[in-house]
Amino acid sequence: MRVTSVATAVNRIGDVRASRRRRLRFDGWIAGTGTSSGTRIVLGHWRRSPFGTFSDVMLEHADGTRLLLAPTQETADFVSGTYAFDAVRVVAVEVDVAHDTWTVRAGPLRLRFTVGRRGPLGLLLRAVPAVIARQPAWSVVTDWPARALLSGVRTRGSAGAGRREWYGAQDLRPLRAVSAVFEGTDLGSMAPVVPPVRFGFGSVPREPGITRITTTVALDPG
């Protein structure tokens, strides 16, 4: 009864105008890492979405060039309409997960990383009932703590094409090791995500990690 009451209260918080917009929900994982070459990589692995199951990769190179690798024209159009890129490529994106090892093949990119044990913040996020964590209004509550604890991270904000976004994190685990090759060139060893990526209104955490997340996108009512 208490969880239901809290969830009901949280649902009543938030942007009234956004409630009139059509909302799309993406449920899955976001992994982010830097490399010693200066390239930062963000993987979105979506088990449930309006486009079905799919994965996409965003890269920002040391010179600031931002690239999207998406598996279909439909997903490329949606993601590039929500975030900012200098180039977009439609390529096969495959993600294999074996225990704590993730292997990603996305056109010119080969990425492999291992996931470590969750720390205190991951344990705290897992303690929040999913029915609450997935609600956009909860992202309003968590935005300021996220800004204070994780440099560059935001849990709500404005996106492209007049859209609004909310991120509801449900888990966070660090990455232990990363190997990445782009167009045949080794990108080097794992490094912090510095500077923050500039695809949208916020970045992934500075320390390489993977977040279990629900992303809600409210479309422009126009």
Side-chain angles (χ1 to χ4, degrees):
M1 179 66 70
R2 183 181 178 187
V3 170
T4 303
S5 299
V6 172
T8 301
V10 168
N11 278 329
R12 292 174 180 170
I13 303 172
D15 190 340
V16 174
R17 289 185 305 164
S19 67
R20 303 190 186 108
R21 302 171 178 225
R22 181 188 174 199
R23 291 183 176 183
L24 306 181
R25 178 176 285 183
F26 298 76
D27 191 63
W29 291 263
I30 293 178
T33 184
T35 63
S36 56
S37 67
T39 294
R40 287 88 74 208
I41 305 170
V42 178
L43 165 71
H45 182 54
W46 307 109
R47 296 294 299 273
R48 290 179 293 276
S49 84
F51 307 103
T53 299
F54 78 98
S55 302
D56 63 277
V57 182
M58 307 176 190
L59 299 96
E60 184 168 354
H61 295 295
D63 63 3
T65 301
R66 295 163 296 179
L67 171 65
L68 169 66
L69 304 174
T72 66
Q73 191 62 55
E74 184 180 32
T75 55
D77 290 343
F78 181 83
V79 176
S80 63
T82 306
Y83 304 100
F85 301 95
D86 302 295
V88 176
R89 298 189 196 179
V90 177
V91 298
V93 182
E94 301 176 358
V95 177
D96 294 321
V97 183
H99 301 290
D100 291 332
T101 300
W102 291 54
T103 303
V104 182
R105 294 175 292 275
L109 177 70
R110 297 293 180 268
L111 172 67
R112 184 182 178 91
F113 60 84
T114 56
V115 181
R117 297 179 62 180
R118 64 182 56 85
L121 182 55
L123 293 171
L124 180 63
L125 291 173
R126 280 174 58 85
V128 179
V131 68
I132 296 176
R134 292 171 180 162
Q135 299 302 321
W138 182 247
S139 300
V140 178
V141 176
T142 59
D143 189 54
W144 279 109
R147 291 172 184 240
L149 294 172
L150 302 168
S151 177
V153 173
R154 306 288 184 268
T155 62
R156 62 170 181 148
S158 299
R163 298 167 184 170
R164 295 280 297 172
E165 272 195 295
W166 298 266
Y167 296 117
Q170 299 164 56
D171 195 3
L172 174 64
R173 295 175 65 183
L175 302 190
R176 290 200 307 248
V178 173
S179 62
V181 175
F182 182 77
E183 294 184 336
T185 300
D186 190 337
L187 296 179
S189 57
M190 183 176 73
V193 183
V194 177
V197 291
R198 302 172 300 115
F199 307 118
F201 59 83
S203 178
V204 293
R206 181 182 188 277
E207 297 304 319
I210 184 165
T211 305
R212 174 75 170 84
I213 201 163
T214 297
T215 300
T216 303
V217 181
L219 305 182
D220 188 333

